[in-house]
Amino acid sequence: MAAPVEPPLADRHPAARRPSSVPWVAMYHSVGDCSDDPYRVTVTPDRLEYQLTWLRRRGLRGVSVAELLDARARGEGGDLVGLTFDDGYTDFLTGALPLLRRFRCNATLFVLPGRLGGDNAWDPLGPRKPLLDAEGIRRAAGEGVEIGSHGLTHVDLTRADDTVLLAEVTESRARLAALTGAEADGFCYPYGTVDARAVEAVRKAGYRYACAIDPGPLTGPHALPRAHVGQHDTAWRLHLKLRLHRWRRRPVEGV
């Protein structure tokens, strides 16, 4: 496929790769056929390859969120960006993982242990997309992919009562530990929606960090912003998203 169009040389100077105020984390979902994609949650493998090539040509490498935060805690990581894949679709293993390995990248996969082997029933429009079962999640973990929780069943935590909130946050973590043999350090808020109550529940459950989309004033390790990356994100769109992120986000304690 055609090589990405690069930004001007001035924008590729090493100084542009210094750590931003808040780490840049890209949000993906499904990697496969996007001919019927009303929610814009799918990229084709070719497009993902293009986007990983763009990162490489800028001297950047995609890693899991845990690795990104570890690097920043050491005062490093200016050449790292976080790659996340929400929902745990089966096409992560076929569409995303081979490309991540080829580009020597890693990622965080946020899964739903209450819907193992199910589908995206929360999306009323568009095709049904199958979700990984227990063996698929263990396979991803065995490849070194960080496994995080997306809750149990993909509900909006800002609208959940206390009982549901507790189950979605704590029980999902316990199930993942039993499934993979490792504690889940990361959480991802379904739909990206978050409020102070959800943040506190996630923090109390023992998660090291949590990802949202645009958490507004709720910044910090349990409300990390992410940039949606989709099928239409070519080199210039990615470049603008990265620059806008660096311009908009201010330093926060603990990140």
Side-chain angles (χ1 to χ4, degrees), residues 14-249:
R17 297 199 297 268
R18 288 193 296 265
S20 59
S21 57
V22 177
W24 197 67
V25 181
M27 177 181 66
Y28 288 93
H29 290 78
S30 173
V31 182
D33 178 15
C34 64
S35 58
D36 184 8
D37 188 33
Y39 297 102
R40 298 184 299 168
V41 297
T42 309
V43 298
T44 63
D46 281 351
R47 181 60 76 191
L48 178 59
E49 179 183 9
Y50 178 102
Q51 292 161 349
L52 294 177
T53 299
W54 179 84
L55 289 176
R56 173 182 284 180
R57 293 188 174 186
R58 288 188 62 85
L60 301 171
R61 183 169 64 90
V63 297
S64 69
V65 179
E67 183 176 346
L68 177 62
L69 295 179
D70 284 343
R72 290 180 64 89
R74 298 190 301 268
E76 303 169 357
D79 60 342
L80 302 179
V81 299
L83 299 180
T84 62
F85 291 80
D86 291 9
D87 303 333
Y89 295 106
T90 58
D91 59 27
F92 175 82
L93 295 177
T94 56
L97 189 56
L99 287 169
L100 293 173
R101 290 295 162 260
R102 173 143 61 92
F103 282 83
R104 298 182 180 179
C105 292
N106 202 357
T108 300
L109 179 65
F110 291 114
V111 300
L112 298 154
R115 292 187 182 271
L116 297 178
D119 61 30
N120 57 328
W122 59 88
D123 287 336
L125 304 176
R128 299 272 67 82
K129 287 179 172 286
L131 304 176
L132 291 167
D133 58 13
E135 181 56 34
I137 293 173
R138 282 193 287 264
R139 178 182 164 191
E143 291 282 344
V145 174
E146 182 190 13
I147 305 299
S149 171
H150 203 22
L152 274 178
T153 58
H154 204 288
V155 300
D156 183 344
L157 298 185
T158 65
R159 299 183 179 183
D161 62 31
D162 290 345
T163 300
V164 172
L165 175 60
L166 184 64
E168 290 286 329
V169 171
T170 61
E171 188 176 340
S172 64
R173 190 167 192 248
R175 289 196 194 184
L176 286 180
L179 193 158
T180 66
E183 293 289 349
D185 283 338
F187 187 86
C188 175
Y189 301 100
Y191 305 103
T193 56
V194 60
D195 58 15
R197 174 170 158 267
V199 168
E200 183 63 11
V202 168
R203 187 190 64 78
K204 284 185 175 180
Y207 293 96
R208 174 188 176 193
Y209 72 85
C211 291
I213 298 177
D214 189 355
L218 293 170
T219 57
H222 292 94
L224 293 174
R226 293 183 295 169
H228 167 74
V229 179
Q231 181 67 10
H232 299 296
D233 285 318
T234 54
W236 276 104
R237 285 172 61 97
L238 290 169
H239 172 67
L240 289 174
K241 286 184 177 183
L242 181 58
R243 291 296 294 269
L244 284 173
H245 173 82
R246 286 172 168 164
W247 175 68
R248 291 175 60 194
R249 305 295 177 187

